[in-house]
Amino acid sequence: MGARKTTHRNRRPHAVIIGMMGAGKTRVGKEIAHMIRIPFADADIEIEREVGMKIPAYFEKYGERAFRKVEAELIADYLEDFEGIFSLGGGAPMTPSTQDALARYIDQGGRVVYLDADPAEAMERANRGGGRPMLNGDGNARWKKLFKERDPVFRRVANVHVRTRGLTPQGAAKKVIDMVAERTVHVTGAAIEPYDVAIGEGAMNHLVEVLGNKPHKIALIHTQSVQRHSDRARALLRQGGYEVSEIVIPDAEMGKTITVANGIWERLGNEGFTRSDAVVGLGGGAATDLAGFVAATWMRGVRYVNCPTSLLAMVDASTGGKTGINTPQGKNLVGSFYTPAGVLADTKTLATLPNDIFIEGLGEVAKSGFIGDPEILTILESHADELRGFDGSSFLGSPLEDVVSELIERTVTVKAHHVSSDLKEKGLREFLNYGHTLGHAIEKLEHFRWRHGNAVAVGMVYAAELAHILGYIDQDLVDYHRSLLSSLGLPTSWNGGSFEDVLALMHRDKKARGNQLRFVVLDSIGHVVHLDNPPVDAVEEAFRRIQH
């Protein structure tokens, strides 16, 4: 076969669909293309047009080897010159050159979707359709044999895995569209097992895929306020064949206590949870912190997945492997470093957030801009009005959703950089605590009535004032902290306690060394330094400046 003539290079498919015969690749692919108004191409149909005969006839005349050569060349051309949904024949990904071409496509940002259908349904469709030379003879037996060979390869080749069991073609198409639109941050490091943070509508659909087939029992830990989302997670888990134990905990910081943790350990013991079972934490930052702590401590560590449902949890608590509970003496003083198997930041859950809960998450987003990615600050500035006016009822499908997804991706990337270099907070990772030294003290003195992101916003203004007093930054950067955070609807001052009380709590901060205070401050945007044992009068003067 001669190479198909192309006039434009570097035009990539929106997505490539692979899967077993009868999985619905053509039907679902056409639905996707129709829904998002782009072209659709089926490799088998294009091959028949190219060679001028039906595939069974070509198989019979020239054999499978010749067919695979024609198929691989056509696929390679389409991967570089087709802007649409491209469906491959069942055996196409088994060809090494096609595997290489798909890997290059993925490296350039492409999405290869493994359409994983119910075997019984796929076999019935494949046999009914006819014209499949690979199923000659006992069709079901041949299909099962091919599935055993191909499934591991399809899982390795694809970077999007979509289970379509029980879904209509339209439902499967919508699921693919959501998952293809996802953003992914890969978290790696010398001291951790690599894992992915999936960001986008429908990210929770990865739950079964991330948990794998080893666990039998799943402890689904969540707060009452996210019942709608936990119902969805429970349904996904049961569809995946797991036995689900639902454990409801108190909201916010009241759920992060040794009493609550002990109650969960008792449940796990009574229900026979073993080291091969798993935990899913679903909710805000407090819920994912507690779930991670339980997973880290049960039988010295079981697999766990975080499903954060608030902006704050998506950008902060759920990623990075810090798990913990509070004590009467302070926040997060008991905990462990224990990384999740995956984080599923499903933006559908943000649609249920009240405005004030969404806005507090912007405090941690802004922090990541100040310490590591100035583009975050530019995006926040450009969209401050829309972000401050967040309305969950109109969020999904709006232009703001893509803005928020990018902010989550960038913020998680900043965190992943610091975590991968320093899992156990001995150096670089401490920079993530910008604004937290005072922020944690405010939370404690307010008995956790102040939300974390709001306290961190004030803490960043405080750190900026301290850095200015000691000559690290100029007044303009202090003013910029105030103006940006205020424009987002975040607080920049606090009057809820005395300096003596605050100072005592700052001495208990995890960054403190012996009796010496230790702060994280900027010396420019995007560059952070440690400030060890600053003069007490400067510490007090900076505090005075955030009281009005």
Side-chain angles (χ1 to χ4, degrees):
M1 180 190 83
R4 201 166 49 88
K5 292 192 185 301
T6 59
T7 54
H8 299 92
R9 283 289 163 188
N10 299 320
R11 296 166 63 222
R12 308 290 178 193
H14 182 76
V16 175
I17 301 178
I18 65 172
M20 286 296 293
M21 292 172 285
K25 299 184 296 294
T26 300
R27 177 71 191 277
V28 172
K30 285 180 176 178
E31 288 287 351
I32 296 167
H34 174 72
M35 286 179 179
I36 59 178
R37 295 182 174 86
I38 60 175
F40 172 76
D42 183 305
D44 284 351
I45 292 172
E46 298 306 318
I47 290 168
E48 289 180 342
R49 185 178 292 131
E50 187 89 29
V51 300
M53 64 177 76
K54 293 290 185 183
I55 287 173
Y58 193 90
F59 248 76
E60 190 173 337
K61 186 171 183 179
Y62 298 106
E64 183 182 359
R65 186 173 177 181
F67 170 76
R68 295 299 178 198
K69 185 172 185 295
V70 170
E71 179 182 57
E73 289 177 3
L74 182 134
I75 289 170
D77 280 344
Y78 266 75
L79 289 177
E80 294 189 352
D81 188 28
F82 178 67
E83 293 178 303
I85 302 297
F86 186 34
S87 171
L88 306 192
M94 303 301 289
T95 303
S97 64
T98 296
Q99 292 174 15
D100 292 343
L102 290 171
R104 287 193 298 273
Y105 165 69
I106 288 173
D107 286 343
Q108 292 157 355
R111 291 284 195 265
V112 176
V113 179
Y114 175 18
L115 214 58
D116 184 4
D118 177 71
E121 291 177 11
M123 279 188 282
E124 195 273 330
R125 279 197 298 263
N127 287 318
R128 187 175 66 229
R132 300 179 189 271
M134 298 300 291
L135 293 184
N136 288 343
D138 183 340
N140 282 358
R142 289 282 297 150
W143 192 98
K144 289 175 183 175
K145 181 175 185 294
L146 289 170
F147 177 76
K148 192 172 180 181
E149 294 168 0
R150 292 176 179 179
D151 177 63
V153 176
F154 290 173
R155 289 173 184 271
R156 188 178 73 246
V157 167
N159 60 347
V160 178
H161 184 169
V162 180
R163 291 164 61 93
T164 64
R165 290 159 175 76
L167 294 177
T168 63
Q170 293 80 10
K174 181 64 171 70
K175 189 172 181 180
V176 172
I177 290 167
D178 287 345
M179 293 175 76
V180 164
E182 281 177 2
R183 300 164 182 264
T184 303
V185 178
H186 193 53
V187 184
T188 60
I192 62 176
E193 285 286 321
Y195 64 94
D196 287 337
V197 181
I199 304 153
E201 275 195 52
M204 203 185 291
N205 289 324
H206 292 292
L207 195 48
V208 171
E209 173 193 341
V210 176
L211 285 166
N213 56 18
K214 190 177 179 184
H216 173 63
K217 294 185 175 74
I218 306 294
L220 176 58
I221 300 173
H222 68 90
T223 55
Q224 189 66 51
S225 59
V226 296
Q227 189 68 50
R228 181 193 306 186
H229 308 310
S230 65
D231 287 347
R232 183 162 154 244
R234 185 177 63 252
L236 288 168
L237 291 168
R238 286 181 174 163
Q239 285 169 15
Y242 304 111
E243 184 181 311
V244 183
S245 293
E246 196 165 0
I247 302 173
V248 182
I249 61 171
D251 274 329
E253 300 296 331
M254 296 307 101
K256 281 178 59 174
T257 67
I258 190 65
T259 304
V260 174
N262 188 56
I264 297 174
W265 290 324
E266 287 182 3
R267 280 277 305 270
L268 300 184
N270 291 336
E271 294 178 20
F273 271 72
T274 68
R275 184 169 288 172
S276 63
D277 293 320
V279 169
V280 173
L282 187 146
T288 56
D289 271 359
L290 176 78
F293 180 65
V294 167
T297 50
W298 183 252
M299 295 199 169
R300 298 189 177 90
V302 296
R303 192 173 184 83
Y304 85 107
V305 176
N306 276 332
C307 297
T309 59
S310 71
L311 178 60
L312 182 75
M314 289 179 184
V315 299
D316 184 31
S318 66
T319 302
K322 280 169 75 172
T323 75
I325 57 174
N326 303 329
T327 70
Q329 289 69 42
K331 186 174 177 181
N332 295 330
L333 294 179
V334 176
S336 66
F337 294 96
Y338 191 66
T339 51
V343 178
L344 307 179
D346 194 325
T347 53
K348 283 181 181 176
T349 65
L350 298 180
T352 60
L353 288 186
N355 174 272
D356 61 327
I357 308 301
F358 174 83
I359 284 175
E360 72 135 340
L362 296 174
E364 284 285 351
V365 174
K367 178 205 74 178
S368 291
F370 281 121
I371 70 168
D373 181 1
E375 182 61 24
I376 290 174
L377 304 179
T378 302
I379 295 169
L380 289 173
E381 279 187 75
S382 302
H383 299 279
D385 289 345
E386 304 105 281
L387 291 164
R388 189 177 65 250
F390 172 85
D391 179 357
S393 66
S394 59
F395 173 66
L396 296 179
S398 72
L400 186 62
E401 185 179 5
D402 198 52
V403 172
V404 171
S405 294
E406 182 177 357
L407 287 170
I408 295 169
E409 179 184 26
R410 286 181 173 277
T411 304
V412 169
T413 300
V414 170
K415 184 154 191 173
H417 167 69
H418 289 77
V419 169
S420 63
S421 306
D422 176 27
L423 176 66
K424 297 197 173 177
E425 204 164 37
K426 294 177 179 174
L428 183 65
R429 182 173 184 154
E430 281 193 340
F431 292 154
L432 291 169
N433 286 319
Y434 184 57
H436 285 56
T437 305
L438 178 66
H440 281 161
I442 290 173
E443 288 181 271
K444 184 73 174 70
L445 290 169
E446 292 284 355
H447 305 288
F448 300 110
R449 289 186 298 264
W450 263 57
R451 294 204 153 265
H452 178 71
N454 293 344
V456 167
V458 176
M460 287 190 285
V461 176
Y462 172 80
E465 289 283 13
L466 182 59
H468 175 50
I469 291 167
L470 295 174
Y472 285 86
I473 62 174
D474 60 22
Q475 184 65 47
D476 286 349
L477 186 46
V478 182
D479 293 343
Y480 180 61
H481 277 70
R482 279 200 169 86
S483 63
L484 177 65
L485 296 171
S486 296
S487 73
L488 297 168
L490 289 159
T492 57
S493 62
W494 179 73
N495 285 295
S498 70
F499 176 67
E500 290 71 24
D501 289 340
V502 166
L503 187 63
L505 283 169
M506 290 198 297
H507 271 289
R508 289 188 203 161
D509 183 77
K510 294 190 296 298
K511 293 185 300 304
R513 298 291 186 266
N515 196 38
Q516 294 191 345
L517 288 177
R518 193 177 205 211
F519 293 90
V520 169
V521 298
L522 301 182
D523 61 7
S524 61
I525 288 180
H527 193 260
V528 195
V529 293
H530 280 122
L531 177 57
D532 291 323
N533 207 29
V536 175
D537 59 344
V539 174
E540 185 170 9
E541 173 59 20
F543 180 71
R544 187 187 63 77
R545 293 183 184 184
I546 58 100
Q547 289 187 292
H548 49 76

